[in-house]
């Protein structure tokens, strides 16, 4: 007798708009996700009643702002206890149509060396979001905020792989973290999100750790919508959090000397035929 496949998902919330959350939950409920963990970092449990009225949702009030990665880790540990096959880390401002999760699972089942997947991602107006990236340098993530716009544009053309048409699958070492579909067995080799990062670089960190052992794929055969807000560009408090955590990231992996970053980025650019 075959065991039923278990797929779980987690959303970390902090004073999240209920309508935004409802749209995301509807996308997941329409798929084959068995349990959706809403890990609430908000000061009060204002989402409890709403979540308890939603099918397949398990509400977790953390009673503190644990941060993005730590909040998802609460759910991932529960997913591992359930012996889930796959776990989706998703932002509340993401939504998509029917069949997306099912097609991703089918791809993952056919490609057992893939640990992590992100699909094609667009803005609400249909324009492409650049979610596949090189491993960043300090210039890409910190110094760019203080550089002339033309210089930043040239840097982003390379860093965000804007020269590439995004029509083919790609094994890439950094996925933007709005939708991260994980094979749960791979957490045994890699570990969970690094909780030293309160917010922002945890997606870079976990993708490159997965990439060391497995394929981490961009798969454009399905598309999701991400209403990206880029709050650190609009809020001084969030900017400070962004810079602080990026400093922690580069303290961990290396500022100007990161051999793994140099090797992987060079190899990827060569594969994509990039010419400086």
């Amino acid at each position: 007798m075959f065991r039923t496949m278990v797929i779980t998902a987690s959303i970390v919330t902090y004073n999240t708009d209920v309508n935004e959350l409802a749209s995301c939950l509807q996308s997941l409920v329409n798929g084959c996700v068995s349990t959706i963990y809403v890990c609430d970092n908000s000061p009060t449990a204002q989402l409890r009643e709403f979540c308890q009225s939603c099918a397949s949702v398990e509400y977790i009030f953390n009673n503190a702002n644990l941060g993005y990665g730590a909040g998802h880790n609460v759910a991932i540990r529960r997913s591992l206890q359930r012996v889930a096959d796959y776990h989706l880390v998703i932002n509340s401002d993401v939504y998509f149509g029917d069949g997306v999760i099912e097609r991703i699972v089918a791809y993952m089942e056919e490609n057992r060396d893939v640990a992590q997947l992100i699909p094609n991602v667009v803005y609400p107006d249909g324009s492409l979001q650049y979610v596949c990236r090189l491993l960043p340098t300090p210039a890409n993530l910190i110094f760019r905020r203080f550089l002339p716009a033309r210089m930043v544009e040239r840097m982003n053309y390379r860093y965000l792989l804007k020269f590439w048409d995004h029509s083919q699958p790609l094994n890439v070492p950094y996925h933007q973290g709005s939708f991260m579909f994980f094979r749960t067995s791979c957490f045994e080799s890699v570990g969970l999100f690094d909780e030293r990062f309160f917010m922002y670089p945890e997606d870079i960190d976990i993708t490159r750790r997965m990439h060391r052992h497995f394929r981490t794929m961009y798969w454009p055969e399905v598309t999701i919508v991400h209403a990206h807000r880029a709050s650190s560009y609009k809020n001084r408090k969030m900017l400070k959090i962004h810079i602080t955590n990026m400093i922690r990231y580069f303290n961990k992996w290396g500022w100007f000397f990161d051999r793994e970053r140099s090797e992987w980025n060079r190899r990827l650019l060569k594969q994509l035929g990039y010419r400086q």
Side-chain angles (χ1 to χ4, degrees):
M1 189 176 196
F2 293 102
R3 181 178 72 87
T4 302
M5 186 175 296
V6 177
I7 303 163
T8 57
S10 58
I11 305 168
V12 169
T13 55
Y14 183 80
N15 294 334
T16 299
D17 179 76
V18 171
N19 292 326
E20 175 182 284
L21 179 60
S23 178
C24 182
L25 291 175
Q26 189 61 50
S27 297
L28 296 170
V29 169
N30 286 344
C32 53
V33 178
S34 55
T35 303
I36 306 160
Y37 299 103
V38 174
C39 300
D40 196 357
N41 284 345
S42 303
T44 63
Q46 58 186 358
L47 292 174
R48 185 189 302 277
E49 185 176 353
F50 169 74
C51 289
Q52 289 177 342
S53 70
C54 300
S56 306
V57 174
E58 184 174 320
Y59 178 76
I60 304 168
F61 179 57
N62 291 321
N63 200 32
N65 190 357
L66 304 181
Y68 184 84
H72 279 295
N73 282 348
V74 172
I76 294 171
R77 291 185 184 102
R78 295 196 184 195
S79 178
L80 294 175
Q81 288 173 355
R82 294 193 59 192
V83 197
D85 299 276
Y86 298 102
H87 182 82
L88 170 61
V89 166
I90 184 171
N91 283 9
S92 61
D93 57 355
V94 169
Y95 55 93
F96 47 87
D98 295 347
V100 166
I101 301 295
E102 289 85 349
R103 291 184 65 189
I104 289 173
V105 169
Y107 174 83
M108 297 283 279
E109 286 292 289
E110 293 172 2
N111 296 271
R112 305 296 297 182
D113 61 336
V114 175
Q116 180 180 330
L117 180 146
I118 189 167
N120 185 50
V121 183
V122 298
Y123 291 101
D125 66 1
S127 59
L128 180 69
Q129 243 177 76
Y130 295 101
V131 295
C132 300
R133 302 169 183 183
L134 299 176
L135 288 178
T137 66
N140 296 134
L141 295 186
I142 300 177
F143 305 151
R144 67 176 179 177
R145 296 174 181 272
F146 312 104
L147 295 173
R150 185 173 295 180
M151 185 180 298
V152 173
E153 185 177 343
R154 288 200 303 269
M155 287 170 48
N156 281 343
Y157 182 73
R158 179 179 181 273
Y159 166 57
L160 299 177
L161 307 181
K162 288 187 174 184
F163 59 88
W164 176 58
D165 68 5
H166 288 69
S167 64
Q168 298 297 320
L170 183 67
N171 183 24
V172 62
Y174 170 21
H175 297 175
Q176 186 258 11
S178 58
F179 186 109
M180 308 175 81
F181 198 88
F182 292 105
R183 188 184 306 277
T184 54
S185 60
C186 296
F187 288 120
E188 297 176 9
S189 302
V190 173
L192 307 186
F193 285 106
D194 188 333
E195 298 185 10
R196 288 175 289 182
F197 306 128
F198 179 79
M199 192 175 181
Y200 292 116
E202 64 286 312
D203 51 358
I204 316 170
D205 178 83
I206 200 166
T207 309
R208 72 180 289 174
R209 285 190 282 125
M210 287 284 182
H211 193 75
R212 279 180 169 176
H213 303 280
F214 311 99
R215 285 197 294 159
T216 50
M217 295 297 297
Y218 164 75
W219 192 61
E221 298 304 312
V222 295
T223 298
I224 64 169
V225 179
H226 178 212
H228 185 49
R229 290 185 295 269
S231 58
S232 70
Y233 280 87
K234 304 171 185 176
N235 182 301
R236 285 190 175 184
K237 180 181 177 182
M238 297 307 295
L239 174 59
K240 182 179 179 181
I241 291 172
H242 190 166
I243 292 176
T244 298
N245 284 275
M246 291 307 171
I247 289 171
R248 290 173 181 164
Y249 171 84
F250 290 115
N251 284 344
K252 176 178 179 177
W253 291 102
W255 284 77
F256 303 103
F257 300 100
D258 180 345
R259 182 177 298 178
E260 186 175 74
R261 175 181 69 202
S262 298
E263 179 184 337
W264 288 359
N265 286 352
R266 184 168 54 249
R267 185 170 62 201
L268 183 60
L269 290 169
K270 182 179 180 180
Q271 177 187 341
L272 296 179
Y274 177 76
R275 294 291 182 269
Q276 191 132 14

